[in-house]
Amino acid sequence: MAAEAISESRAGGDFWDGVRLSMPVVVASAPFAILFGAIAVDNGFSVLEAFLMSAMIYGGASQMVGIELFGQHVAPWLIVLSIFAVNFRHVLYSAGIGRRIAHWPLLQQAAGYFILTDPQFAVAEARAVSGKPVGFVWYLGLGLPVYVFWVIESGLGAVFGKMIPDTHALGIDFLLPIYFLGLVLGFRKRPLWLPVVAASAAASIIAYRTVGSPWHVSIGALAGVLLAVILPPHHSGIGERP
Amino acid sequence: MSTTFWIILAGAIATYLTRIGGHLVISRFENIHPRVEAGLNAVPAAVLTTLVAPAVLGAGPAEWAALIVTALVSLRGGLMAMFLAGAAVLIIARQFVG
């Protein structure tokens, strides 16, 4: 009984640890959820469809792109392909985080991958690097608030979208780059961090100017990852130094 | 069912495939080659950088000020402190330089 209570409060503590870390994400993503709902309705979605898209796809940038193309009456298969392209970076997250959560029961893993967003990956990966276990309860505490707020705020945006004030003055369009910069800097103690950041930044900017969005994300990411693959592994702190 | 619904459903399946696909591919291998492991360790910095870099280049003084403050605070503070500081500088700076 006593042991049960202790392990329960441990699990509860893990959950709230995750919730605490989710708060910046909830704040940063709120304007985008509301904006998405508003734009979705503006482009011909019903409130229910906007709500469903957030609940089922749960990927902000890809939802915006999908809505935009839908509004321009692009062929459905092309809309789906574009959503896939924007979300393609998750393949790398999936391969990375798989090493940390492979010991979870299968259903928990299935749920874990469903909520694998940019911040979810970055914060979970940072925890794994710092030597702490990435448990399901903690991971859920980190991801669930973001998901719930995202879906509800999308619905609110769809219903009340017309009432949004000047988003530029509120800095809404630039909140996510700020947050992502903080995440990038959080990994600065990793071996090869600076060369990888430099390679990805250069490649993504060149690709953004030439190939265009959203491909600059995959191309830039690949450049950084390839650099780490090509350099002898000891540069990445793996294995023994020669 | 409407076309919209099918677009959402197909988009959701495509998205889930990207979220589970990397793991399904990697988990087929018994041992992860050191070079692959090095590549995976580079994923956070590599991907997150691409979400920032083009935005930084296309930004103005208000955004740059916010990013510099964000970077400085991130040397000491936690994620929340860094984010709030950056957002505050951005909102204040935009009142002056638009």
Side-chain angles (χ1 to χ4, degrees), chain B residues 5-58:
Chain B
F5 176 80
W6 290 111
I7 291 173
I8 293 170
L9 184 64
I13 293 169
T15 301
Y16 193 65
L17 285 179
T18 66
R19 285 187 169 139
I20 202 160
H23 167 65
L24 292 182
V25 171
I26 289 283
S27 64
R28 296 181 71 91
F29 298 96
E30 283 284 313
N31 294 305
I32 298 180
H33 191 279
R35 285 182 190 273
V36 175
E37 196 182 340
L40 290 179
N41 286 341
V43 167
V47 185
L48 295 167
T49 297
T50 69
L51 302 178
V52 184
V56 173
L57 212 65

Side-chain angles (χ1 to χ4, degrees), chain A residues 40-66:
Chain A
V41 169
D42 216 40
N43 279 283
F45 267 40
S46 69
V47 171
L48 177 68
E49 286 163 348
F51 177 85
L52 269 182
M53 195 181 198
S54 277
M56 289 170 68
I57 295 181
Y58 186 45
S62 70
Q63 291 176 222
M64 293 288 192
V65 169

Side-chain angles (χ1 to χ4, degrees), chain A residues 112-162:
Chain A
Y113 286 113
F114 181 73
I115 55 171
L116 185 59
T117 55
D118 300 291
Q120 186 78 16
F121 169 73
V123 177
E125 180 72 6
R127 183 175 169 97
V129 171
S130 73
K132 290 182 196 156
V134 178
F136 179 69
V137 172
W138 174 83
Y139 187 94
L140 202 63
L142 175 65
L144 199 60
V146 184
Y147 180 80
V148 170
F149 276 99
W150 178 260
V151 173
I152 292 174
E153 287 158 355
S154 298
L156 290 178
V159 176
F160 300 109
K162 299 263 184 302

